[in-house]
Short mmCIF file of all heavy atoms in Angstrom, two decimals:
data_model
loop_
_atom_site.label_atom_id
_atom_site.label_comp_id
_atom_site.label_asym_id
_atom_site.label_seq_id
_atom_site.Cartn_x
_atom_site.Cartn_y
_atom_site.Cartn_z
N MET A 1 68.80 36.99 115.09
CA MET A 1 69.53 36.62 116.30
C MET A 1 70.94 37.20 116.23
O MET A 1 71.56 37.25 115.18
CB MET A 1 69.62 35.10 116.42
CG MET A 1 68.28 34.39 116.36
SD MET A 1 67.23 34.79 117.73
CE MET A 1 67.87 33.66 118.98
N ARG A 2 71.41 37.61 117.38
CA ARG A 2 72.75 38.20 117.41
C ARG A 2 73.51 37.70 118.64
O ARG A 2 72.92 37.21 119.60
CB ARG A 2 72.65 39.72 117.45
CG ARG A 2 71.95 40.24 118.69
CD ARG A 2 71.81 41.76 118.66
NE ARG A 2 71.04 42.22 119.80
CZ ARG A 2 71.53 42.40 121.02
NH1 ARG A 2 72.81 42.15 121.25
NH2 ARG A 2 70.76 42.80 122.00
N ILE A 3 74.82 37.85 118.58
CA ILE A 3 75.67 37.47 119.70
C ILE A 3 75.77 38.68 120.63
O ILE A 3 76.09 39.78 120.17
CB ILE A 3 77.07 37.08 119.21
CG1 ILE A 3 76.98 35.99 118.14
CG2 ILE A 3 77.93 36.62 120.38
CD1 ILE A 3 78.27 35.80 117.35
N ALA A 4 75.47 38.47 121.89
CA ALA A 4 75.48 39.57 122.84
C ALA A 4 76.41 39.27 124.01
O ALA A 4 76.45 38.14 124.50
CB ALA A 4 74.07 39.81 123.37
N ILE A 5 77.16 40.26 124.43
CA ILE A 5 78.06 40.11 125.58
C ILE A 5 77.61 41.06 126.68
O ILE A 5 77.41 42.25 126.46
CB ILE A 5 79.52 40.41 125.18
CG1 ILE A 5 80.00 39.38 124.16
CG2 ILE A 5 80.42 40.42 126.43
CD1 ILE A 5 81.43 39.57 123.70
N ASP A 6 77.45 40.50 127.86
CA ASP A 6 77.07 41.28 129.03
C ASP A 6 78.35 41.87 129.63
O ASP A 6 79.12 41.19 130.31
CB ASP A 6 76.37 40.38 130.06
CG ASP A 6 75.87 41.15 131.27
OD1 ASP A 6 76.40 42.25 131.55
OD2 ASP A 6 74.97 40.64 131.95
N ARG A 7 78.58 43.14 129.36
CA ARG A 7 79.82 43.78 129.79
C ARG A 7 79.96 43.81 131.31
O ARG A 7 81.08 43.82 131.83
CB ARG A 7 79.89 45.21 129.24
CG ARG A 7 79.98 45.29 127.72
CD ARG A 7 80.07 46.74 127.28
NE ARG A 7 81.17 47.45 127.92
CZ ARG A 7 82.43 47.43 127.46
NH1 ARG A 7 82.73 46.76 126.37
NH2 ARG A 7 83.36 48.10 128.08
N ASP A 8 78.87 43.87 132.02
CA ASP A 8 78.93 43.91 133.47
C ASP A 8 79.32 42.56 134.07
O ASP A 8 79.88 42.49 135.16
CB ASP A 8 77.59 44.36 134.06
CG ASP A 8 77.29 45.81 133.71
OD1 ASP A 8 78.24 46.59 133.55
OD2 ASP A 8 76.10 46.15 133.59
N ARG A 9 79.02 41.50 133.32
CA ARG A 9 79.33 40.16 133.82
C ARG A 9 80.73 39.71 133.40
O ARG A 9 81.38 38.93 134.11
CB ARG A 9 78.27 39.18 133.31
CG ARG A 9 78.46 37.78 133.85
CD ARG A 9 77.34 36.86 133.45
NE ARG A 9 76.08 37.22 134.09
CZ ARG A 9 75.01 36.48 134.07
NH1 ARG A 9 75.02 35.32 133.45
NH2 ARG A 9 73.90 36.86 134.67
N CYS A 10 81.21 40.19 132.28
CA CYS A 10 82.51 39.78 131.74
C CYS A 10 83.63 40.08 132.73
O CYS A 10 83.69 41.16 133.31
CB CYS A 10 82.77 40.51 130.42
SG CYS A 10 84.42 40.24 129.74
N ILE A 11 84.54 39.11 132.90
CA ILE A 11 85.69 39.30 133.78
C ILE A 11 86.99 39.35 132.98
O ILE A 11 88.08 39.30 133.55
CB ILE A 11 85.76 38.17 134.83
CG1 ILE A 11 85.88 36.79 134.15
CG2 ILE A 11 84.56 38.23 135.77
CD1 ILE A 11 86.17 35.65 135.13
N GLY A 12 86.89 39.44 131.66
CA GLY A 12 88.08 39.62 130.84
C GLY A 12 88.98 38.41 130.74
O GLY A 12 90.19 38.54 130.56
N SER A 13 88.41 37.23 130.82
CA SER A 13 89.23 36.01 130.83
C SER A 13 89.77 35.62 129.45
O SER A 13 90.65 34.80 129.35
CB SER A 13 88.41 34.85 131.37
OG SER A 13 87.40 34.49 130.44
N ALA A 14 89.19 36.18 128.40
CA ALA A 14 89.64 35.94 127.02
C ALA A 14 89.33 34.55 126.49
O ALA A 14 89.81 34.19 125.42
CB ALA A 14 91.13 36.25 126.86
N GLN A 15 88.56 33.78 127.21
CA GLN A 15 88.27 32.42 126.73
C GLN A 15 87.46 32.44 125.44
O GLN A 15 87.63 31.56 124.58
CB GLN A 15 87.53 31.64 127.82
CG GLN A 15 88.34 31.42 129.08
CD GLN A 15 89.69 30.78 128.80
OE1 GLN A 15 89.76 29.73 128.18
NE2 GLN A 15 90.76 31.42 129.22
N CYS A 16 86.61 33.41 125.29
CA CYS A 16 85.83 33.50 124.04
C CYS A 16 86.76 33.77 122.86
O CYS A 16 86.58 33.19 121.78
CB CYS A 16 84.76 34.60 124.15
SG CYS A 16 85.39 36.25 124.55
N VAL A 17 87.75 34.63 123.08
CA VAL A 17 88.69 34.96 122.01
C VAL A 17 89.55 33.76 121.66
O VAL A 17 89.81 33.47 120.48
CB VAL A 17 89.59 36.15 122.43
CG1 VAL A 17 90.53 36.53 121.30
CG2 VAL A 17 88.73 37.35 122.84
N LEU A 18 89.99 33.03 122.67
CA LEU A 18 90.81 31.85 122.43
C LEU A 18 90.02 30.78 121.70
O LEU A 18 90.56 30.08 120.83
CB LEU A 18 91.34 31.30 123.77
CG LEU A 18 92.37 32.19 124.48
CD1 LEU A 18 92.65 31.65 125.88
CD2 LEU A 18 93.66 32.25 123.67
N ALA A 19 88.75 30.65 122.02
CA ALA A 19 87.92 29.61 121.39
C ALA A 19 87.51 30.00 119.98
O ALA A 19 87.38 29.12 119.12
CB ALA A 19 86.68 29.37 122.26
N ALA A 20 87.29 31.27 119.75
CA ALA A 20 86.78 31.71 118.44
C ALA A 20 87.35 33.09 118.09
O ALA A 20 86.64 34.09 118.12
CB ALA A 20 85.25 31.76 118.49
N PRO A 21 88.61 33.14 117.71
CA PRO A 21 89.25 34.43 117.41
C PRO A 21 88.67 35.12 116.18
O PRO A 21 88.90 36.32 115.99
CB PRO A 21 90.73 34.06 117.21
CG PRO A 21 90.70 32.62 116.85
CD PRO A 21 89.56 32.02 117.61
N GLY A 22 87.94 34.40 115.38
CA GLY A 22 87.31 35.02 114.22
C GLY A 22 85.99 35.68 114.54
O GLY A 22 85.39 36.34 113.68
N ILE A 23 85.53 35.51 115.76
CA ILE A 23 84.25 36.07 116.17
C ILE A 23 84.42 37.11 117.28
O ILE A 23 83.77 38.15 117.27
CB ILE A 23 83.31 34.96 116.70
CG1 ILE A 23 83.07 33.88 115.65
CG2 ILE A 23 81.98 35.57 117.19
CD1 ILE A 23 82.07 34.22 114.59
N PHE A 24 85.30 36.81 118.23
CA PHE A 24 85.41 37.64 119.42
C PHE A 24 86.76 38.35 119.49
O PHE A 24 87.77 37.88 118.98
CB PHE A 24 85.24 36.78 120.68
CG PHE A 24 83.92 36.10 120.78
CD1 PHE A 24 83.76 34.78 120.35
CD2 PHE A 24 82.81 36.76 121.27
CE1 PHE A 24 82.53 34.15 120.43
CE2 PHE A 24 81.58 36.14 121.37
CZ PHE A 24 81.43 34.83 120.93
N THR A 25 86.75 39.47 120.20
CA THR A 25 87.97 40.19 120.52
C THR A 25 87.76 40.81 121.89
O THR A 25 86.77 40.52 122.56
CB THR A 25 88.29 41.25 119.45
OG1 THR A 25 89.56 41.84 119.72
CG2 THR A 25 87.21 42.34 119.42
N GLN A 26 88.70 41.63 122.33
CA GLN A 26 88.55 42.33 123.61
C GLN A 26 88.84 43.80 123.40
O GLN A 26 89.69 44.17 122.57
CB GLN A 26 89.52 41.76 124.66
CG GLN A 26 89.13 40.39 125.16
CD GLN A 26 90.19 39.79 126.03
OE1 GLN A 26 91.21 39.34 125.53
NE2 GLN A 26 89.97 39.76 127.33
N ASP A 27 88.16 44.64 124.17
CA ASP A 27 88.40 46.08 124.03
C ASP A 27 89.58 46.49 124.90
O ASP A 27 90.28 45.65 125.47
CB ASP A 27 87.12 46.87 124.34
CG ASP A 27 86.71 46.79 125.81
OD1 ASP A 27 87.51 46.32 126.65
OD2 ASP A 27 85.58 47.22 126.11
N ASP A 28 89.81 47.79 125.03
CA ASP A 28 90.96 48.30 125.76
C ASP A 28 90.91 47.95 127.24
O ASP A 28 91.94 48.00 127.93
CB ASP A 28 91.04 49.82 125.61
CG ASP A 28 91.37 50.23 124.18
OD1 ASP A 28 91.84 49.36 123.42
OD2 ASP A 28 91.16 51.40 123.84
N GLU A 29 89.73 47.60 127.74
CA GLU A 29 89.59 47.24 129.15
C GLU A 29 89.53 45.71 129.32
O GLU A 29 89.15 45.22 130.38
CB GLU A 29 88.32 47.88 129.72
CG GLU A 29 88.36 49.41 129.66
CD GLU A 29 87.07 50.05 130.12
OE1 GLU A 29 86.09 49.32 130.39
OE2 GLU A 29 87.03 51.29 130.19
N ALA A 30 89.85 44.99 128.25
CA ALA A 30 89.84 43.52 128.23
C ALA A 30 88.44 42.93 128.28
O ALA A 30 88.28 41.72 128.48
CB ALA A 30 90.70 42.94 129.36
N ILE A 31 87.44 43.77 128.10
CA ILE A 31 86.08 43.27 128.05
C ILE A 31 85.83 42.64 126.68
O ILE A 31 86.20 43.21 125.64
CB ILE A 31 85.06 44.41 128.29
CG1 ILE A 31 85.31 45.07 129.65
CG2 ILE A 31 83.63 43.89 128.20
CD1 ILE A 31 85.15 44.15 130.84
N GLY A 32 85.21 41.47 126.69
CA GLY A 32 84.94 40.79 125.44
C GLY A 32 83.97 41.55 124.57
O GLY A 32 83.05 42.21 125.06
N GLU A 33 84.19 41.48 123.26
CA GLU A 33 83.25 42.08 122.32
C GLU A 33 83.28 41.28 121.03
O GLU A 33 84.24 40.57 120.74
CB GLU A 33 83.54 43.56 122.09
CG GLU A 33 84.90 43.87 121.52
CD GLU A 33 85.15 45.37 121.39
OE1 GLU A 33 84.39 46.16 121.99
OE2 GLU A 33 86.09 45.74 120.68
N VAL A 34 82.22 41.43 120.26
CA VAL A 34 82.12 40.73 118.99
C VAL A 34 82.77 41.59 117.91
O VAL A 34 82.60 42.81 117.89
CB VAL A 34 80.64 40.47 118.65
CG1 VAL A 34 80.52 39.71 117.34
CG2 VAL A 34 79.97 39.68 119.78
N LEU A 35 83.53 40.94 117.05
CA LEU A 35 84.19 41.67 115.98
C LEU A 35 83.15 42.34 115.09
O LEU A 35 82.07 41.77 114.85
CB LEU A 35 85.05 40.71 115.15
CG LEU A 35 86.34 40.23 115.80
CD1 LEU A 35 86.91 39.05 115.01
CD2 LEU A 35 87.36 41.36 115.86
N PRO A 36 83.45 43.53 114.60
CA PRO A 36 82.52 44.23 113.71
C PRO A 36 82.12 43.36 112.52
O PRO A 36 82.96 42.72 111.89
CB PRO A 36 83.34 45.44 113.24
CG PRO A 36 84.34 45.66 114.32
CD PRO A 36 84.68 44.29 114.83
N GLY A 37 80.84 43.30 112.28
CA GLY A 37 80.32 42.53 111.17
C GLY A 37 80.00 41.08 111.50
O GLY A 37 79.43 40.36 110.69
N ARG A 38 80.36 40.64 112.72
CA ARG A 38 80.10 39.24 113.10
C ARG A 38 78.95 39.13 114.10
O ARG A 38 78.66 38.03 114.56
CB ARG A 38 81.36 38.61 113.72
CG ARG A 38 82.59 38.63 112.83
CD ARG A 38 82.38 37.99 111.45
NE ARG A 38 81.89 36.65 111.47
CZ ARG A 38 82.64 35.56 111.46
NH1 ARG A 38 83.95 35.67 111.44
NH2 ARG A 38 82.09 34.36 111.44
N GLU A 39 78.32 40.23 114.42
CA GLU A 39 77.29 40.23 115.46
C GLU A 39 76.13 39.28 115.17
O GLU A 39 75.51 38.76 116.09
CB GLU A 39 76.73 41.65 115.65
CG GLU A 39 77.75 42.66 116.15
CD GLU A 39 78.51 43.34 115.03
OE1 GLU A 39 78.42 42.88 113.86
OE2 GLU A 39 79.19 44.34 115.30
N HIS A 40 75.85 39.08 113.91
CA HIS A 40 74.69 38.26 113.56
C HIS A 40 75.07 36.84 113.13
O HIS A 40 74.27 36.14 112.51
CB HIS A 40 73.87 38.95 112.48
CG HIS A 40 73.17 40.18 112.99
ND1 HIS A 40 73.74 41.43 112.94
CD2 HIS A 40 71.98 40.34 113.62
CE1 HIS A 40 72.92 42.31 113.50
NE2 HIS A 40 71.85 41.68 113.92
N ASP A 41 76.28 36.43 113.44
CA ASP A 41 76.74 35.08 113.09
C ASP A 41 76.51 34.11 114.24
O ASP A 41 77.35 33.27 114.55
CB ASP A 41 78.21 35.11 112.70
CG ASP A 41 78.43 35.83 111.38
OD1 ASP A 41 77.45 35.95 110.60
OD2 ASP A 41 79.56 36.28 111.13
N ALA A 42 75.35 34.22 114.87
CA ALA A 42 75.04 33.38 116.03
C ALA A 42 74.96 31.90 115.67
O ALA A 42 75.11 31.04 116.53
CB ALA A 42 73.74 33.84 116.67
N ASP A 43 74.72 31.59 114.40
CA ASP A 43 74.63 30.20 113.98
C ASP A 43 76.00 29.59 113.65
O ASP A 43 76.09 28.37 113.42
CB ASP A 43 73.74 30.08 112.74
CG ASP A 43 72.29 30.39 113.07
OD1 ASP A 43 71.91 30.27 114.25
OD2 ASP A 43 71.54 30.75 112.14
N ASP A 44 77.02 30.40 113.61
CA ASP A 44 78.36 29.91 113.30
C ASP A 44 78.83 29.00 114.45
O ASP A 44 78.78 29.40 115.62
CB ASP A 44 79.31 31.11 113.16
CG ASP A 44 80.68 30.70 112.64
OD1 ASP A 44 81.21 29.67 113.11
OD2 ASP A 44 81.22 31.42 111.78
N PRO A 45 79.26 27.79 114.14
CA PRO A 45 79.74 26.89 115.21
C PRO A 45 80.82 27.51 116.08
O PRO A 45 80.90 27.22 117.28
CB PRO A 45 80.26 25.68 114.44
CG PRO A 45 79.52 25.70 113.15
CD PRO A 45 79.31 27.16 112.82
N ALA A 46 81.63 28.37 115.51
CA ALA A 46 82.68 29.03 116.29
C ALA A 46 82.06 29.94 117.35
O ALA A 46 82.57 30.05 118.46
CB ALA A 46 83.60 29.82 115.37
N ALA A 47 80.97 30.59 117.00
CA ALA A 47 80.30 31.46 117.97
C ALA A 47 79.79 30.63 119.14
O ALA A 47 79.91 31.04 120.30
CB ALA A 47 79.15 32.21 117.30
N VAL A 48 79.25 29.48 118.83
CA VAL A 48 78.75 28.60 119.90
C VAL A 48 79.90 28.16 120.80
O VAL A 48 79.75 28.12 122.03
CB VAL A 48 78.03 27.38 119.30
CG1 VAL A 48 77.60 26.42 120.40
CG2 VAL A 48 76.83 27.83 118.47
N GLU A 49 81.04 27.88 120.21
CA GLU A 49 82.21 27.49 121.02
C GLU A 49 82.62 28.63 121.95
O GLU A 49 82.96 28.41 123.11
CB GLU A 49 83.38 27.12 120.10
CG GLU A 49 83.19 25.78 119.41
CD GLU A 49 84.43 25.37 118.64
OE1 GLU A 49 85.55 25.77 119.02
OE2 GLU A 49 84.29 24.63 117.65
N GLY A 50 82.58 29.84 121.43
CA GLY A 50 82.93 31.00 122.25
C GLY A 50 81.94 31.20 123.39
O GLY A 50 82.34 31.52 124.51
N ILE A 51 80.69 31.02 123.10
CA ILE A 51 79.65 31.15 124.13
C ILE A 51 79.87 30.12 125.22
O ILE A 51 79.82 30.43 126.41
CB ILE A 51 78.26 30.99 123.49
CG1 ILE A 51 77.95 32.19 122.59
CG2 ILE A 51 77.18 30.81 124.55
CD1 ILE A 51 76.75 32.00 121.69
N GLU A 52 80.13 28.89 124.81
CA GLU A 52 80.30 27.82 125.79
C GLU A 52 81.60 27.95 126.57
O GLU A 52 81.72 27.43 127.68
CB GLU A 52 80.24 26.47 125.08
CG GLU A 52 78.85 26.18 124.51
CD GLU A 52 78.79 24.86 123.76
OE1 GLU A 52 79.86 24.28 123.48
OE2 GLU A 52 77.67 24.42 123.45
N ALA A 53 82.59 28.67 126.00
CA ALA A 53 83.88 28.81 126.66
C ALA A 53 83.88 29.85 127.76
O ALA A 53 84.73 29.82 128.66
CB ALA A 53 84.95 29.18 125.62
N CYS A 54 82.93 30.76 127.74
CA CYS A 54 82.93 31.85 128.73
C CYS A 54 82.65 31.28 130.12
O CYS A 54 81.62 30.65 130.35
CB CYS A 54 81.88 32.89 128.37
SG CYS A 54 81.86 34.27 129.55
N PRO A 55 83.55 31.51 131.08
CA PRO A 55 83.40 30.92 132.41
C PRO A 55 82.31 31.55 133.26
O PRO A 55 81.94 30.99 134.30
CB PRO A 55 84.79 31.13 133.04
CG PRO A 55 85.30 32.36 132.37
CD PRO A 55 84.80 32.29 130.95
N VAL A 56 81.84 32.71 132.86
CA VAL A 56 80.83 33.39 133.69
C VAL A 56 79.50 33.59 132.96
O VAL A 56 78.63 34.32 133.43
CB VAL A 56 81.37 34.76 134.18
CG1 VAL A 56 82.52 34.56 135.15
CG2 VAL A 56 81.78 35.65 133.02
N GLY A 57 79.37 32.96 131.80
CA GLY A 57 78.10 33.05 131.08
C GLY A 57 77.78 34.45 130.58
O GLY A 57 76.61 34.83 130.52
N ALA A 58 78.82 35.19 130.20
CA ALA A 58 78.59 36.57 129.76
C ALA A 58 78.20 36.67 128.30
O ALA A 58 77.79 37.74 127.84
CB ALA A 58 79.84 37.41 130.01
N VAL A 59 78.35 35.57 127.55
CA VAL A 59 78.03 35.60 126.13
C VAL A 59 76.77 34.80 125.88
O VAL A 59 76.61 33.68 126.38
CB VAL A 59 79.19 35.01 125.29
CG1 VAL A 59 78.99 35.32 123.82
CG2 VAL A 59 80.54 35.53 125.77
N ALA A 60 75.89 35.35 125.10
CA ALA A 60 74.62 34.68 124.84
C ALA A 60 74.12 35.06 123.45
O ALA A 60 74.64 35.96 122.81
CB ALA A 60 73.58 35.08 125.88
N ILE A 61 73.14 34.31 123.00
CA ILE A 61 72.46 34.65 121.76
C ILE A 61 71.17 35.38 122.13
O ILE A 61 70.39 34.91 122.97
CB ILE A 61 72.16 33.39 120.94
CG1 ILE A 61 73.49 32.74 120.52
CG2 ILE A 61 71.31 33.73 119.73
CD1 ILE A 61 73.34 31.42 119.80
N ALA A 62 70.98 36.54 121.53
CA ALA A 62 69.85 37.39 121.88
C ALA A 62 68.99 37.66 120.65
O ALA A 62 69.45 37.53 119.51
CB ALA A 62 70.35 38.69 122.47
N GLU A 63 67.76 38.03 120.91
CA GLU A 63 66.88 38.46 119.84
C GLU A 63 67.39 39.76 119.24
O GLU A 63 68.00 40.57 119.94
CB GLU A 63 65.46 38.67 120.37
CG GLU A 63 64.82 37.42 120.96
CD GLU A 63 64.38 36.43 119.88
OE1 GLU A 63 64.23 36.86 118.73
OE2 GLU A 63 64.23 35.25 120.19
N ASP A 64 67.15 39.98 117.99
CA ASP A 64 67.52 41.26 117.36
C ASP A 64 66.69 42.39 117.93
O ASP A 64 65.58 42.20 118.36
CB ASP A 64 67.34 41.17 115.85
CG ASP A 64 68.47 40.36 115.22
OD1 ASP A 64 69.61 40.50 115.66
OD2 ASP A 64 68.17 39.60 114.28
S1 SF4 B 1 85.09 34.51 127.83
FE1 SF4 B 1 83.48 35.65 128.89
S2 SF4 B 1 84.52 36.60 130.63
FE2 SF4 B 1 86.11 36.00 129.18
S3 SF4 B 1 86.45 37.82 127.87
FE3 SF4 B 1 84.94 36.54 126.84
S4 SF4 B 1 82.97 37.37 127.51
FE4 SF4 B 1 84.50 38.09 128.96
#
């Protein structure tokens, strides 16, 4: 399982980063992304907080 961000849905609100700065960051266009090496930390409680914080449901847990 991995953390997946739907770039087309993301509105750059940064709520995922604020909720879980150890998991999420934003690219140059303010689109949310998962920090390198954290993609498979879907079980981390912080990842769940980031997923739940996204106002548009752009973050989800996906199959590998
Ligand atoms: S919380 Fe959602 S909308 Fe905001 S930057 Fe993260 S993925 Fe994008």
Side-chain angles (χ1 to χ4, degrees):
M1 305 295 277
R2 63 183 175 82
I3 306 165
I5 296 180
D6 184 338
R7 295 181 55 85
D8 292 331
R9 184 175 292 191
C10 173
I11 59 171
S13 70
Q15 296 306 306
C16 57
V17 182
L18 291 171
I23 302 281
F24 299 96
T25 186
Q26 287 172 285
D27 68 11
D28 292 343
E29 299 175 355
I31 301 298
E33 60 183 15
V34 181
L35 286 167
R38 302 305 305 268
E39 296 89 348
H40 290 91
D41 291 339
D43 292 337
D44 188 317
V48 176
E49 287 187 28
I51 291 167
E52 293 178 348
C54 181
V56 293
V59 192
I61 296 175
E63 299 285 340
D64 284 321

